[in-house]
Amino acid sequence: MKQNEHTLDRRAFLSRITLGSGMVLAGLPLLSFTGCKRQDIPVTHYDPENFQADIEIDLTAAPDETTILPGNKTRVWRYTAEVRKGPQSTVQNLSGTFTGPVFRFKKGDKVKIYFHNNLPEKSVVHWHGLHVPQEADGHPRFVIGTGKTYISAFQIMNRAGTYWFHPHPHGKTGPQVYRGLAGLFLITDDEEKALGLPSGEQDIPVVIQDRTFDRDNQLVYLRSRMDRMTGFLGQQILVNGKPNAAFDLAPGTYRFRVLNGSNSRIYKLAWDDGTPLTVIATDGGLLEKPVQKSYLLLGPAERVDLFVDLSQKKSGSEMTLKSLAFSGGSIGSMMGGGRMGGGMMEGSSRGSSSAPDNGDELTILKVRTGTGTAKATPLPGRLATIQRIPVGDAVNGNNPRTFRFSMQGMNPVINGRSFQMTKVAEDEIVQLDTTEVWRLVNENSGMMGGMMQMPHPVHIHGLSFQILNRTASSVGWNTIRDGFVDQGWKDTLLLMPRMKADVIMRFEDYPGLFLYHCHNLEHEDLGMMRNYLVKTNNS
Ligand code: C2O
Ligand code: CU
Ligand code: CU
């Protein structure tokens, strides 16, 4: 019943945006395909100018400077936003930091976001995790130059959850995010509101990133070719753009919106005092019920919402969120379980940056319980309904479409291919209104295979998927095996070395060209990204 209403809702909306807009993407670059006939390109109608939005926002990306470390200010790039129409509470610009803003929307909202590019180079904004039309998805073919504006117009169809946005220009996503461009996109809905979860000041963004600074407090990005291949690893952990993060919180309960906004670093989160992490949501929103974890792996772009209960804590007590040591995070760690000692890799990868390796222990933030009181809401035993997609619904349940993420020499590739702006291969074409199982595989072969094993956080645009299974057999597996929360909706899956995972998803509402890629941003920029095409019956 619920499901039907939802579907009808969407249909109605779709016909509304299609009606009256005879305009067929005038001014957009002509798409070309290999292994795909011209008539296969779905005709889409996207008319943001005439889209009737409830909420309109101006989002500007521009250079700025801000205090991060004591002493000199740091030059950054940042997003700032203003509400043009609708409630002011939709936008929260975080002061004194480059991260943000935080957007807060409700499911069903019709939104129009005017992106103004005041950067000295091309950019485009991607709404990570959102189910939106291809023209609103921030594909790199839609980049705009300095001084230009691009309008994203869509209705919010996603479940309540923690989504985010960041730039997506091809070859430049890593450096643009690194300079500071990333914000949270929070969605609520009626199901979530009825739970009375911690809200307002007790709903706290926790964007975890790592950065390296030079002596003048300026950001240092990649230093070597090896940095690029492994992905950038910073010397210092920032939370919401600040080093040595500490939250002083009154006794009460809190919701932490944790986003791994790092370019390539993976965190193995745990409280230092042995308190389990209480996970209430993953990428695509609330779980059915809370899940307790002694530790949690969070790859780049993944999110978890944590329920943090300080209601019984004494004033003055402190707990630290750490990233614990683990294996399998870095190149060479497959060769005997540790990082390569004294070899060629050692010299070139670590010597130059001296940042902690992926898998080294780190401190993320401290939570200090202060005085006073904050609201304490009980942790609901049931959070939401998740309808499992039956494997029987998939057109390829017995024969999953397989994507191999691997290194080909120095190049990270998917099924041996690199990104091509508007091209799809025959095996990257799916049919609108179908369900599929995709098998994601991280396995290298050949002589260099073992040595070049690296994690690949795999992300699929335009939808959320469910994880059917995940298996791995690798050295160090026992250091991470309990760290995955696979019960909920996801849009990014941390594919560790020698891991294989089957995910199931439905292609609905929006035909067109969407991306799937490794969210290690350096890998993405190196071309570990491809298009998939959602094709309609009559195209
Ligand atoms: Cu965070 Cu292509 O995405
Ligand atoms: Cu995305
Ligand atoms: Cu990768």
Side-chain angles (χ1 to χ4, degrees):
M1 188 58 181
K2 262 248 152 84
Q3 194 60 35
N4 279 338
E5 281 169 23
H6 178 59
T7 310
L8 279 175
D9 215 52
R10 277 199 291 230
R11 295 268 152 77
F13 163 71
L14 282 172
S15 58
R16 211 167 318 135
I17 59 167
T18 312
L19 269 174
S21 68
M23 195 188 101
V24 184
L25 296 184
L28 289 176
L30 251 192
L31 308 187
S32 64
F33 298 91
T34 45
C36 174
K37 285 183 245 107
R38 186 68 181 80
Q39 70 260 33
D40 285 339
I41 303 160
V43 176
T44 55
H45 306 273
Y46 181 67
D47 185 9
E49 306 282 348
N50 292 311
F51 180 85
Q52 291 303 312
D54 317 308
I55 303 175
E56 298 190 7
I57 288 171
D58 288 291
L59 176 69
T60 305
D64 196 1
E65 49 175 35
T66 185
T67 300
I68 301 175
L69 302 174
N72 290 348
K73 287 193 169 192
T74 304
R75 288 185 295 278
V76 296
W77 287 359
R78 59 176 307 208
Y79 287 128
T80 48
E82 262 176 75
V83 178
R84 197 188 271 215
K85 178 183 172 187
Q88 287 302 317
S89 58
T90 307
V91 163
Q92 181 191 3
N93 287 298
L94 306 173
S95 58
T97 171
F98 60 79
T99 50
V102 178
F103 289 164
R104 288 188 176 80
F105 292 106
K106 285 192 315 298
K107 183 174 181 172
D109 282 347
K110 291 186 191 129
V111 308
K112 204 190 271 199
I113 304 171
Y114 299 79
F115 168 58
H116 308 289
N117 181 7
N118 290 348
L119 304 169
E121 63 187 40
K122 290 183 175 143
S123 195
V124 64
V125 187
H126 167 56
W127 318 102
H128 181 122
L130 293 197
H131 180 53
V132 295
Q134 57 171 342
E135 297 84 3
D137 188 53
H139 189 285
R141 72 189 189 274
F142 299 123
V143 289
I144 53 166
T146 310
K148 296 279 189 312
T149 295
Y150 190 94
I151 307 175
S152 296
F154 53 89
Q155 184 172 28
I156 292 180
M157 296 181 180
N158 287 67
R159 305 171 76 231
T162 303
Y163 305 89
W164 66 300
F165 58 96
H166 60 79
H168 222 300
H170 183 49
K172 296 276 186 188
T173 298
Q176 290 197 3
V177 171
Y178 185 72
R179 284 168 182 267
L181 298 173
L184 289 179
F185 195 115
L186 309 182
I187 299 175
T188 188
D189 61 17
D190 293 338
E191 188 182 37
E192 182 189 70
K193 278 187 190 157
L195 295 172
L197 292 169
S199 61
E201 306 259 280
Q202 288 167 254
D203 181 353
I204 301 177
V206 179
V207 179
I208 309 174
Q209 297 176 309
D210 56 336
R211 296 290 185 266
T212 297
F213 298 89
D214 68 13
R215 278 198 207 93
D216 297 319
N217 288 351
Q218 301 311 311
L219 291 167
V220 177
Y221 188 47
L222 300 172
R223 299 209 200 205
S224 69
R225 199 184 159 78
M226 188 59 65
D227 276 355
R228 188 175 299 274
M229 208 180 64
T230 56
F232 173 86
L233 294 169
Q235 292 172 342
Q236 187 142 9
I237 299 300
L238 305 181
V239 173
N240 301 332
K242 302 276 185 202
N244 310 315
F247 296 136
D248 289 295
L249 302 173
T253 52
Y254 296 85
R255 179 178 189 169
F256 281 15
R257 308 268 192 167
V258 185
L259 160 67
N260 180 351
S262 310
N263 284 33
S264 86
R265 189 176 288 284
I266 296 162
Y267 302 97
K268 180 182 174 181
L269 301 176
W271 293 112
D272 67 331
D273 65 356
T275 306
L277 298 157
T278 303
V279 184
I280 57 170
T282 53
D283 302 347
L286 293 171
L287 297 169
E288 287 182 293
K289 49 184 198 291
V291 169
Q292 306 265 329
K293 287 291 200 181
S294 58
Y295 66 86
L296 183 62
L297 263 291
L298 200 65
E302 288 188 300
R303 291 88 70 204
V304 283
D305 290 17
L306 302 177
F307 185 91
V308 181
D309 186 357
L310 304 178
S311 60
Q312 306 305 318
K313 295 271 178 194
K314 287 199 197 70
S315 142
S317 63
E318 188 175 284
M319 35 188 223
T320 301
L321 187 64
K322 306 209 72 151
S323 182
L324 305 178
F326 65 92
S327 310
S330 61
I331 285 195
S333 59
M334 303 310 297
M335 308 288 285
R339 100 169 46 106
M340 295 215 352
M344 150 194 89
M345 300 277 179
E346 172 92 10
S348 45
S349 76
R350 297 182 47 78
S352 59
S353 69
S354 72
D357 210 343
N358 232 345
D360 285 353
E361 185 174 311
L362 299 161
T363 292
I364 308 297
L365 60 86
K366 288 185 194 304
V367 172
R368 292 193 213 105
T369 308
T371 50
T373 48
K375 215 170 150 192
T377 48
L379 174 65
R382 253 203 94 68
L383 296 164
T385 306
I386 292 183
Q387 286 183 354
R388 301 275 139 210
I389 308 176
V391 182
D393 283 5
V395 295
N396 64 346
N398 298 322
N399 183 25
R401 216 179 266 274
T402 301
F403 298 94
R404 288 176 192 282
F405 292 76
S406 65
M407 301 301 292
Q408 204 166 71
M410 300 284 273
N411 290 316
V413 292
I414 306 173
N415 282 348
R417 304 180 184 116
S418 295
F419 184 61
Q420 292 169 285
M421 190 60 83
T422 54
K423 294 194 176 164
V424 286
E426 208 56 67
D427 58 6
E428 295 172 313
I429 302 171
V430 303
Q431 197 72 37
L432 187 69
D433 289 325
T434 61
T435 299
E436 290 208 6
V437 178
W438 284 15
R439 177 163 293 168
L440 312 173
V441 182
N442 181 349
E443 195 152 64
N444 270 9
S445 51
M447 204 175 71
M448 293 290 278
M451 193 154 70
M452 304 305 270
Q453 289 278 324
M454 266 186 278
H456 300 296
V458 176
H459 170 48
I460 305 174
H461 277 224
L463 50 78
S464 298
F465 52 77
Q466 292 176 355
I467 300 175
L468 295 173
N469 57 65
R470 173 196 308 254
T471 53
S473 59
S474 61
V475 181
W477 175 229
N478 59 341
T479 69
I480 54 171
R481 64 179 314 146
D482 297 322
F484 302 98
V485 184
D486 290 347
Q487 292 92 328
W489 287 99
K490 297 279 293 169
D491 54 57
T492 308
L493 181 146
L494 178 58
L495 202 59
M496 294 298 285
R498 301 218 175 122
M499 185 178 273
K500 201 159 52 174
D502 288 342
V503 299
I504 189 165
M505 67 204 117
R506 189 157 172 83
F507 305 97
E508 50 191 359
D509 306 313
Y510 300 123
L513 202 59
F514 294 89
L515 298 166
Y516 65 103
H517 60 87
C518 177
H519 220 290
N520 173 324
L521 295 183
E522 285 67 44
H523 287 183
E524 175 183 332
D525 283 343
L526 281 172
M528 195 177 227
M529 172 159 78
R530 293 287 300 175
N531 292 306
Y532 72 94
L533 176 70
V534 184
K535 186 178 128 150
T536 52
N537 271 326
N538 44 16
S539 62

